[in-house]
Amino acid sequence: MKSHATTKGLERATHRALYYSMGMLPEDLDKPLVGIVNTQNETMPGHIHLDDIAKAVREGVLASGGTPIEFSTIAVCDGIAQGNYGMHYPLASRELIADSIEVMMNAHSYDAMVLITNCDKITPGMLMAAVRLNIPTIMVSGGPMANGYVNGEVCCYNDLMAAQGDVAKGDMTLEELGEMEREALPGCGACNMLGTANSMNFLAEALGMVLPGSTTPAATGRRKALAKQTGIKIMELYKKDIKPKDIITKDAIENAITVDLAIGGSTNTVLHLTALAHEADIEFDINTFADMAKKVPHLVKMKPAAGGYPPADVHQAGGITAVMKQLCDNGLLHEECLTVTAAKVKENVAGAVVINEDIIRPMDNPYSETGGLQLLYGSLAPEGSVCKVAAVKKEMLKHRGPARIFDQEEPAVEAIYGGKIKPGDVVVVRYEGPTGGPGMREMLTPTAAIVGMGLDEEVALVTDGRFSGGTSGAAIGHVSPEAADGGPIALIEDGDIISIDIPAGEITLEVSEEELQRRKANWKKPEPNVPKGSYLDRYAKQVMSAMSGAVFKR
């Protein structure tokens, strides 16, 4: 056992004494030591209840002959950081999470690991740590939040965002908005929409790193039971020496992309799956998303997509396991991939059934024949950009209009709510990329403002930043090269015409190459507006482009 490096031998008397001082017995140190990474905190509903999940995991580990040892790592709430300076930090925290788990696990020589997650950057950061450490590991999430209700109607996170626009237009009072605020998010769990949190937790099932049942709601006994099963299963993985790199293979990542496309997941999944492949030393081409989108149908529409269902309803319809069963039956998944059940994908999904075909559509009646994500290339984004086509209205799949330029998010939001953006415009928010931000802030607030102001059928938004899974509308992000690297997005001027063709995967800046070169000659790279020596300053110096997954240079 790896832990014998700290628990066995004459020279380890002080090490054992440290364990005994915490109440352990000698026989506890004869068992495998299982690190339980619990990200419980009081910053967000997704993590407020994770002590209950950790307790259930501990019970499972103890029942199966292991010794659980719990420690924590950071977890940032994207929702609270949203739309302000704090949003520089969530993506940057992904690398800190992976690093801190590596530090704790290697410093203490634990034998196996259980990762307890729920929200946006925590899940991918933990998956990156899993493949880096490559010891027996299993993940369990805290589960999605229940539906909110206002006046008998389902009301979720993105409905609340859109309501801010209703107040700005005078169609809703502040008192009515306040009532929505108190009802839309009814309790613990990952926010009740297909944001990055639920997207990544569902894709963890597709990857094979969590037990089937990723859509099981947070505030249920079934979620606790799933956590207990997770604690039991880690001991089986340890005994069989099944490790993350046995599970997270190129085929497994393609399975995750397939499920991502079928459910119309967050655009952030492109960042995180690319980063995971990089961390696992898997040869990966980001164009895999675009290539697979041509053959994977869009089967599930979840909020924030117009007419979409909340995650709790998808669970009642059969959940991600049932979606995977349909994809397996139609030859779209690598069904022989190993998973943390110690069985293959085809065995995990064998008994799954779609209960409601209005929510999980059959293969012969999809929302569209192609997947819910699209990569766009062109003179504005030579290295690529990303759009969540599943959340774009038909009227905006093709759009051409004048650019309205903003060098940060805040003035763009002020202009949208101030009525300065007109039908036909293309709002451009730049210097928000991984380096320029730094940290690649989410543009949920401006996209929600566009929706709230009733402009989502007439106005597009283009950015070198990124989007929350809660974003809807014609929103094109991850534009690369970013503005801070002198990409074409840095050279756009107010009134320049931008042409967007989402089905064709094209985004064009209608300015001649000669004119762009003239502008480039006069362009100067700005310094990131962060304190010297701060984590963000160091992050900006190390991070690579969005098309690389925004990973650190090696």
Side-chain angles (χ1 to χ4, degrees):
M1 291 192 294
K2 185 179 180 181
S3 59
H4 284 180
T6 63
T7 61
K8 298 299 179 185
L10 176 65
E11 68 278 17
R12 299 294 181 252
T14 55
H15 301 61
R16 292 188 291 272
L18 289 167
Y19 280 118
Y20 298 154
S21 73
M22 294 184 285
M24 285 196 185
L25 302 171
E27 51 265 39
D28 292 331
L29 302 185
D30 292 330
K31 302 171 185 177
L33 303 186
V34 180
I36 298 177
V37 190
N38 178 12
T39 52
Q40 191 277 338
N41 62 36
E42 296 182 350
T43 67
M44 54 188 144
H47 288 241
I48 191 72
H49 65 305
L50 294 189
D51 276 351
D52 288 340
I53 300 297
K55 180 183 177 183
V57 170
R58 292 176 67 90
E59 290 172 354
V61 171
L62 288 166
S64 299
T67 296
I69 301 177
E70 188 176 326
F71 63 89
S72 63
T73 187
I74 61 170
V76 172
C77 179
D78 283 47
I80 292 174
Q82 193 69 241
N84 59 71
Y85 185 82
M87 186 39 73
H88 290 290
Y89 285 94
L91 180 61
S93 76
R94 186 188 68 185
E95 316 310 308
L96 282 175
I97 290 164
D99 289 350
S100 65
I101 294 170
E102 174 198 342
V103 167
M104 291 296 289
M105 291 296 297
N106 281 341
H108 299 100
S109 301
Y110 299 143
D111 299 297
M113 180 168 63
V114 178
L115 302 167
I116 302 176
T117 183
N118 217 26
C119 290
D120 298 49
K121 308 310 164 296
I122 298 90
T123 300
M126 285 182 157
L127 289 170
M128 290 165 68
V131 294
R132 184 186 302 175
L133 293 165
N134 202 35
I135 62 171
T137 300
I138 189 170
M139 175 178 280
V140 60
S141 78
M145 185 186 293
N147 298 343
Y149 291 90
V150 173
N151 299 323
E153 298 290 329
V154 172
C155 179
C156 299
Y157 186 98
N158 57 288
D159 300 310
L160 189 57
M161 291 292 294
Q164 294 173 175
D166 292 334
V167 174
K169 291 184 296 183
D171 295 338
M172 177 183 281
T173 66
L174 283 172
E175 290 74 19
E176 290 170 328
L177 179 64
E179 179 64 18
M180 282 188 72
E181 291 171 15
R182 291 184 285 274
E183 300 293 340
L185 307 178
C188 66
C191 291
N192 43 22
M193 62 175 178
L194 191 60
T196 306
N198 281 317
S199 293
M200 286 306 302
N201 291 334
F202 298 163
L203 297 193
E205 179 174 346
L207 281 167
M209 284 300 294
V210 303
L211 297 179
S214 58
T215 54
T216 305
T220 61
R222 290 292 296 273
R223 174 52 63 177
K224 290 182 182 178
L226 191 63
K228 188 172 184 178
Q229 285 180 303
T230 299
I232 293 168
K233 187 59 69 171
I234 187 58
M235 297 311 300
E236 181 181 348
L237 296 179
Y238 172 76
K239 291 168 187 173
K240 293 181 176 179
D241 197 31
I242 296 174
K243 299 173 181 176
K245 285 191 176 182
D246 299 322
I247 295 167
I248 299 177
T249 62
K250 185 174 183 179
D251 283 352
I253 288 178
E254 288 184 0
N255 282 349
I257 293 171
T258 298
V259 172
D260 196 14
L261 293 166
I263 65 175
S266 163
T267 52
N268 284 318
T269 58
V270 178
L271 279 174
H272 300 319
L273 291 176
T274 303
L276 179 60
H278 184 270
E279 190 70 54
D281 292 317
I282 294 169
E283 189 175 331
F284 182 75
D285 184 348
I286 197 168
N287 290 302
T288 302
F289 283 91
D291 294 340
M292 293 177 67
K294 296 171 185 175
K295 61 182 181 181
V296 178
H298 182 203
L299 302 176
V300 182
K301 187 176 282 191
M302 287 192 235
K303 287 178 174 284
Y309 297 91
D313 290 11
V314 175
H315 178 69
Q316 294 301 326
I320 293 300
T321 315
V323 175
M324 290 178 67
K325 176 66 162 63
Q326 283 201 160
L327 295 168
C328 256
D329 288 347
N330 287 271
L332 292 173
L333 288 182
H334 300 289
E335 60 180 21
E336 296 293 326
C337 286
L338 183 65
T339 75
V340 291
T341 65
K344 297 176 180 178
V345 168
K346 64 181 180 182
E347 298 168 274
N348 290 350
V349 305
V353 177
V354 174
I355 298 167
N356 187 333
E357 291 190 349
D358 290 333
I359 297 176
I360 301 174
R361 290 199 173 183
M363 298 292 290
D364 60 359
N365 183 33
Y367 285 101
S368 69
E369 297 291 339
T370 55
L373 292 173
Q374 176 67 296
L375 300 187
L376 292 84
Y377 293 86
S379 59
L380 181 51
E383 294 177 6
S385 60
V386 182
C387 177
K388 184 175 178 176
V389 64
V392 180
K393 291 185 176 180
K394 291 181 180 179
E395 296 84 353
M396 289 300 294
L397 290 173
K398 294 183 180 182
H399 183 76
R400 182 176 180 272
R404 298 290 173 253
I405 308 301
F406 303 93
D407 286 349
Q408 275 191 314
E409 172 188 6
E410 288 83 355
V413 173
E414 183 179 349
I416 296 165
Y417 280 131
K420 296 178 182 178
I421 302 302
K422 306 302 180 186
D425 286 350
V426 178
V427 175
V428 176
V429 185
R430 62 191 180 189
Y431 295 104
E432 292 285 11
T435 299
M440 205 177 180
R441 290 198 293 176
E442 289 181 346
M443 299 294 113
L444 175 58
T445 303
T447 55
I450 288 170
V451 173
M453 295 298 285
L455 296 169
D456 52 323
E457 294 183 8
E458 301 171 293
V459 170
L461 188 144
V462 175
T463 181
D464 54 5
R466 61 194 176 89
F467 296 113
S468 161
T471 292
S472 61
I476 293 91
H478 306 200
V479 170
S480 300
E482 63 174 289
D485 289 337
I489 191 171
L491 311 177
I492 308 173
E493 295 181 356
D494 261 331
D496 286 347
I497 300 299
I498 295 173
S499 176
I500 300 165
D501 188 334
I502 295 172
E506 296 174 356
I507 181 164
T508 304
L509 174 60
E510 297 184 10
V511 175
S512 71
E513 184 61 30
E514 293 76 16
E515 173 62 15
L516 289 178
Q517 288 303 319
R518 186 191 67 78
R519 295 179 187 179
K520 184 70 177 282
N522 296 319
W523 175 81
K524 292 183 180 180
K525 181 174 181 173
E527 285 293 320
N529 187 26
V530 294
K532 296 291 184 182
S534 67
Y535 175 61
L536 288 177
D537 183 39
R538 286 178 281 130
Y539 179 86
K541 291 178 171 65
Q542 296 182 75
V543 71
M544 295 169 64
S545 79
M547 292 296 110
S548 75
V551 296
F552 281 176
K553 298 169 186 173
R554 287 190 173 183

